[in-house]
Amino acid sequence: MNHQQQNLRKDLNGLRFISVIAVILYHSKISLFSSGFIGVDIFFVLSGFFITQILLNQNKSNTLDIFFFLNKRFRRILPALIFVMITSSLVMYFFLFEPEHTKVTKDSLLYSSIFFSNYYFYQYFGDYFVRSSDYITLFHTWSLSIEIQFYIFFAFFYLLIFRIKILFQNIKSIILLFLIFSLLLTQMGANFKLEFPFIEEKQSLYFFNQPWWASFYFPLSRLWQFLFGSYAALILLNEDFIIKKNHSYISFIGILFIFSSFFLLNKINTHPSLFTLLPVLGTYLIIVYNNNNTLLSKIIGSNLLNKGGVLSYSAYLIHYPLFVIFKINFPNQFNLIIVPLILITFLFSFYTWRFIENPFRDFKKVNNSKFLIFIVISYLIIFLILNIFQNLKHDKLSNYDNIYEKFNLNLDNQINERKKYFKNN
């Protein structure tokens, strides 16, 4: 499938929109959408597909340039991310409500800017579903850190495979092997231990346990999701498969898997795990078996969903800081204003996409020298903001406790909260 065909996959753009809407509704805390975090899993599969397809097409046309590939990926991710990091951190300067929150805001800005926020939030919160994470403006950047880590990993991983003939000849088998291995480690890694008991006492599907190094925030627990997308790209690389495939009805099974997962999965299930195969496999089936002529494409590839997919990245970036700011300042009214906030999110997303995302992706408008200058200046600003937070006097903090319940954000409290949560469930 060539680059032009890739751009014509409006159904996948629509699927992006569905995934980001699911995440936004999950963060809105509307009980009906309590499994919306699955949208990130869908996005990881799509991301694995697109980046692998780009690398395969470049290799096929003998134009593979890893640094050009990474340059385009960073142009896609960094400008809007930097804009949101800087603006949200400056806004939070005026709305901090306790000294501990000052430190978390500062550290989350630091680790987000170096693409390691997933490790930081694991250390700080442990569990993704703790309640106090709702008050950290850059908490959602954990997934973008994983995304960038995989951009770099996949670039050099495929470069190695492309350069060694025997590896390239067995590329599908290699990807499949890594996929299964990482999935099994994610699901059962905690049982690979040398002391008794080797398998936990409860003999049910839940006896499979995650190790700490393959939990919600870690790349290993997400590798198999990216590899599902990679495997789909390898399947579609075969022109005979594209010509002969006449099983587009299978894509309807895929969309059924995705939507059923929103009702069957919840935060009590270990996630990601074998349970997460449902939306991941559903996404894979749509990528491989859907085409522009199906009824499904007419629905999820419609103009409305396609345009929503174009704005999905900016919407993902903007919605969380916006929600946090309003939760802090209007805690008792947040549920009443959630619909206008979602509409405002997409309004801001449009302007972010138009004036930040698009210009930086155009090499004619922003050449490499200008892009480098932008990066240097942006990180100098981030450095200055970090210093402001470092020297912030806590007597400037607003008296948030009078408005709403105070959350203790220190690490010991998070560990105790996590233990209590799992004990209750």
Coordinates of all heavy atoms in Angstrom, one line a residue, residues 322-355:
L322 N -7.3 21.4 30.5 CA -8.6 22.2 30.6 C -9.5 21.7 31.7 O -10.0 22.4 32.5 CB -9.3 22.2 29.3 CG -10.4 23.2 29.1 CD1 -9.9 24.7 29.2 CD2 -11.1 23.0 27.8
F323 N -9.6 20.4 31.7 CA -10.5 19.7 32.8 C -9.9 20.0 34.2 O -10.7 20.3 35.1 CB -10.6 18.2 32.5 CG -11.5 17.8 31.4 CD1 -12.0 18.8 30.5 CD2 -11.9 16.5 31.2 CE1 -12.8 18.4 29.4 CE2 -12.7 16.1 30.2 CZ -13.2 17.1 29.3
V324 N -8.6 19.8 34.3 CA -8.0 20.0 35.6 C -8.2 21.4 36.1 O -8.6 21.6 37.3 CB -6.5 19.7 35.5 CG1 -5.8 20.1 36.8 CG2 -6.2 18.2 35.3
I325 N -8.0 22.4 35.3 CA -8.1 23.8 35.7 C -9.6 24.1 36.2 O -9.8 24.7 37.2 CB -7.7 24.7 34.6 CG1 -6.2 24.6 34.3 CG2 -8.1 26.2 34.9 CD1 -5.8 25.2 33.0
F326 N -10.5 23.5 35.5 CA -11.9 23.8 35.9 C -12.3 22.9 37.1 O -13.2 23.3 37.9 CB -12.9 23.5 34.7 CG -13.0 24.7 33.8 CD1 -12.1 24.9 32.8 CD2 -14.0 25.6 34.0 CE1 -12.2 26.0 32.0 CE2 -14.1 26.7 33.2 CZ -13.2 26.9 32.1
K327 N -11.7 21.7 37.3 CA -12.0 20.9 38.5 C -11.5 21.6 39.7 O -12.1 21.6 40.8 CB -11.3 19.6 38.3 CG -12.1 18.6 37.5 CD -11.3 17.3 37.4 CE -11.9 16.3 36.4 NZ -11.1 15.1 36.2
I328 N -10.4 22.3 39.6 CA -9.8 23.0 40.7 C -10.6 24.2 41.1 O -10.8 24.5 42.3 CB -8.3 23.4 40.4 CG1 -7.5 22.1 40.4 CG2 -7.8 24.4 41.5 CD1 -6.0 22.4 40.0
N329 N -11.1 24.9 40.1 CA -11.7 26.2 40.3 C -13.2 26.1 40.4 O -13.8 27.0 41.1 CB -11.3 27.2 39.2 CG -9.9 27.6 39.3 OD1 -9.5 28.5 40.1 ND2 -9.0 27.0 38.5
F330 N -13.8 25.1 39.8 CA -15.3 25.0 39.9 C -15.6 23.5 40.2 O -16.3 22.8 39.5 CB -15.9 25.4 38.6 CG -15.6 26.8 38.2 CD1 -14.6 27.0 37.2 CD2 -16.2 27.9 38.7 CE1 -14.3 28.2 36.8 CE2 -15.9 29.2 38.3 CZ -14.9 29.3 37.3
P331 N -15.2 23.0 41.4 CA -15.3 21.6 41.7 C -16.7 21.1 41.8 O -17.0 20.0 41.3 CB -14.6 21.4 43.0 CG -14.6 22.8 43.6 CD -14.5 23.7 42.5
N332 N -17.6 21.9 42.3 CA -19.0 21.5 42.5 C -19.8 21.7 41.2 O -21.0 21.2 41.2 CB -19.6 22.2 43.7 CG -18.9 22.0 45.0 OD1 -18.5 20.8 45.2 ND2 -18.6 23.0 45.8
Q333 N -19.3 22.4 40.3 CA -20.1 22.7 39.0 C -19.5 21.9 37.8 O -20.0 22.1 36.7 CB -20.0 24.2 38.7 CG -20.8 25.1 39.7 CD -20.0 25.3 41.0 OE1 -18.8 25.5 40.9 NE2 -20.8 25.4 42.1
F334 N -18.4 21.1 38.1 CA -17.7 20.5 36.9 C -18.6 19.7 36.1 O -18.6 19.7 34.9 CB -16.5 19.7 37.4 CG -15.7 19.1 36.3 CD1 -14.9 19.8 35.5 CD2 -15.8 17.7 36.1 CE1 -14.2 19.3 34.5 CE2 -15.1 17.1 35.0 CZ -14.3 17.9 34.2
N335 N -19.5 18.9 36.7 CA -20.4 18.0 36.0 C -21.4 18.8 35.1 O -21.9 18.3 34.1 CB -21.1 17.1 36.9 CG -20.2 16.0 37.6 OD1 -19.2 15.7 37.0 ND2 -20.6 15.5 38.7
L336 N -21.7 20.0 35.5 CA -22.7 20.8 34.8 C -22.1 21.5 33.6 O -22.8 21.8 32.6 CB -23.2 21.9 35.8 CG -23.9 21.4 37.0 CD1 -24.4 22.5 37.9 CD2 -25.2 20.5 36.7
I337 N -20.7 21.6 33.6 CA -20.1 22.4 32.5 C -19.3 21.5 31.6 O -18.6 22.0 30.7 CB -19.2 23.5 33.1 CG1 -18.1 22.9 34.0 CG2 -20.0 24.6 33.8 CD1 -17.1 24.0 34.4
I338 N -19.4 20.2 31.8 CA -18.5 19.2 31.0 C -18.8 19.3 29.5 O -17.9 19.2 28.7 CB -18.7 17.8 31.6 CG1 -17.7 16.9 30.9 CG2 -20.1 17.3 31.4 CD1 -16.2 17.3 31.2
V339 N -20.1 19.4 29.1 CA -20.4 19.5 27.7 C -19.8 20.7 27.1 O -19.1 20.6 26.0 CB -21.9 19.4 27.5 CG1 -22.2 19.6 26.0 CG2 -22.4 18.0 27.9
P340 N -20.0 21.9 27.6 CA -19.3 23.1 27.1 C -17.8 23.0 27.0 O -17.2 23.4 26.1 CB -19.8 24.2 28.0 CG -21.0 23.8 28.6 CD -20.9 22.3 28.7
L341 N -17.2 22.3 28.1 CA -15.8 22.1 28.1 C -15.3 21.2 26.9 O -14.2 21.5 26.3 CB -15.3 21.5 29.4 CG -15.2 22.4 30.6 CD1 -14.8 21.7 31.9 CD2 -14.3 23.6 30.3
I342 N -16.1 20.2 26.6 CA -15.7 19.4 25.5 C -15.8 20.1 24.2 O -14.9 20.0 23.3 CB -16.6 18.1 25.4 CG1 -16.3 17.2 26.7 CG2 -16.4 17.3 24.2 CD1 -17.2 16.0 26.8
L343 N -16.8 21.0 24.0 CA -16.9 21.8 22.8 C -15.8 22.8 22.7 O -15.2 23.0 21.7 CB -18.3 22.5 22.8 CG -19.5 21.6 22.7 CD1 -20.8 22.5 22.9 CD2 -19.5 20.8 21.4
I344 N -15.4 23.4 23.9 CA -14.3 24.3 23.9 C -13.0 23.6 23.6 O -12.1 24.2 22.9 CB -14.2 25.0 25.3 CG1 -15.4 25.9 25.5 CG2 -12.9 25.8 25.4 CD1 -15.5 26.4 26.9
T345 N -12.9 22.4 24.0 CA -11.7 21.6 23.7 C -11.5 21.5 22.2 O -10.4 21.7 21.7 CB -11.8 20.2 24.3 OG1 -11.7 20.2 25.7 CG2 -10.7 19.2 23.8
F346 N -12.5 21.1 21.5 CA -12.4 21.0 20.0 C -12.3 22.3 19.3 O -11.7 22.4 18.2 CB -13.6 20.1 19.5 CG -13.4 18.7 19.7 CD1 -13.9 18.0 20.8 CD2 -12.6 17.9 18.8 CE1 -13.7 16.6 20.9 CE2 -12.4 16.6 18.9 CZ -13.0 15.9 20.0
L347 N -12.8 23.4 19.9 CA -12.6 24.7 19.3 C -11.1 25.1 19.4 O -10.5 25.5 18.4 CB -13.5 25.7 20.1 CG -13.3 27.2 19.6 CD1 -13.8 27.3 18.1 CD2 -14.1 28.1 20.5
F348 N -10.5 24.9 20.6 CA -9.1 25.1 20.8 C -8.3 24.2 19.9 O -7.2 24.6 19.4 CB -8.7 25.0 22.3 CG -9.2 26.1 23.2 CD1 -9.0 26.0 24.5 CD2 -9.8 27.2 22.7 CE1 -9.4 27.0 25.4 CE2 -10.2 28.2 23.5 CZ -10.0 28.1 24.9
S349 N -8.7 23.0 19.8 CA -8.0 22.0 19.0 C -7.9 22.4 17.5 O -6.9 22.2 16.9 CB -8.7 20.6 19.1 OG -8.8 20.2 20.4
F350 N -9.0 23.0 17.0 CA -9.0 23.5 15.6 C -7.9 24.5 15.4 O -7.1 24.4 14.4 CB -10.3 24.0 15.3 CG -10.4 24.7 13.9 CD1 -10.4 24.0 12.7 CD2 -10.3 26.1 13.8 CE1 -10.3 24.6 11.5 CE2 -10.3 26.7 12.6 CZ -10.3 26.0 11.4
Y351 N -7.8 25.5 16.3 CA -6.8 26.5 16.2 C -5.4 26.0 16.4 O -4.5 26.5 15.8 CB -7.2 27.7 17.1 CG -8.4 28.5 16.6 CD1 -9.6 28.4 17.3 CD2 -8.3 29.3 15.5 CE1 -10.7 29.1 16.9 CE2 -9.4 30.0 15.0 CZ -10.6 29.9 15.7 OH -11.7 30.5 15.3
T352 N -5.3 25.1 17.3 CA -3.9 24.5 17.6 C -3.5 23.7 16.3 O -2.3 23.8 15.9 CB -4.0 23.5 18.8 OG1 -4.5 24.3 19.9 CG2 -2.6 23.0 19.1
W353 N -4.4 23.0 15.8 CA -4.1 22.2 14.5 C -3.8 23.1 13.4 O -2.8 22.9 12.7 CB -5.3 21.3 14.2 CG -5.2 20.8 12.8 CD1 -4.5 19.7 12.4 CD2 -5.9 21.2 11.6 NE1 -4.7 19.5 11.0 CE2 -5.5 20.4 10.5 CE3 -6.8 22.3 11.4 CZ2 -6.0 20.6 9.2 CZ3 -7.3 22.5 10.1 CH2 -6.9 21.6 9.0
R354 N -4.5 24.2 13.2 CA -4.3 25.1 12.1 C -3.1 26.0 12.2 O -2.3 26.1 11.2 CB -5.6 26.0 12.0 CG -5.5 27.0 10.8 CD -6.8 27.7 10.6 NE -6.7 28.6 9.5 CZ -7.7 29.4 9.1 NH1 -8.9 29.4 9.7 NH2 -7.6 30.2 8.0
F355 N -2.8 26.5 13.4 CA -1.7 27.4 13.5 C -0.4 26.9 14.2 O 0.6 27.5 14.2 CB -2.2 28.6 14.4 CG -3.3 29.4 13.7 CD1 -4.5 29.4 14.2 CD2 -3.0 30.2 12.6 CE1 -5.6 30.1 13.7 CE2 -4.0 30.9 12.0 CZ -5.3 30.9 12.5

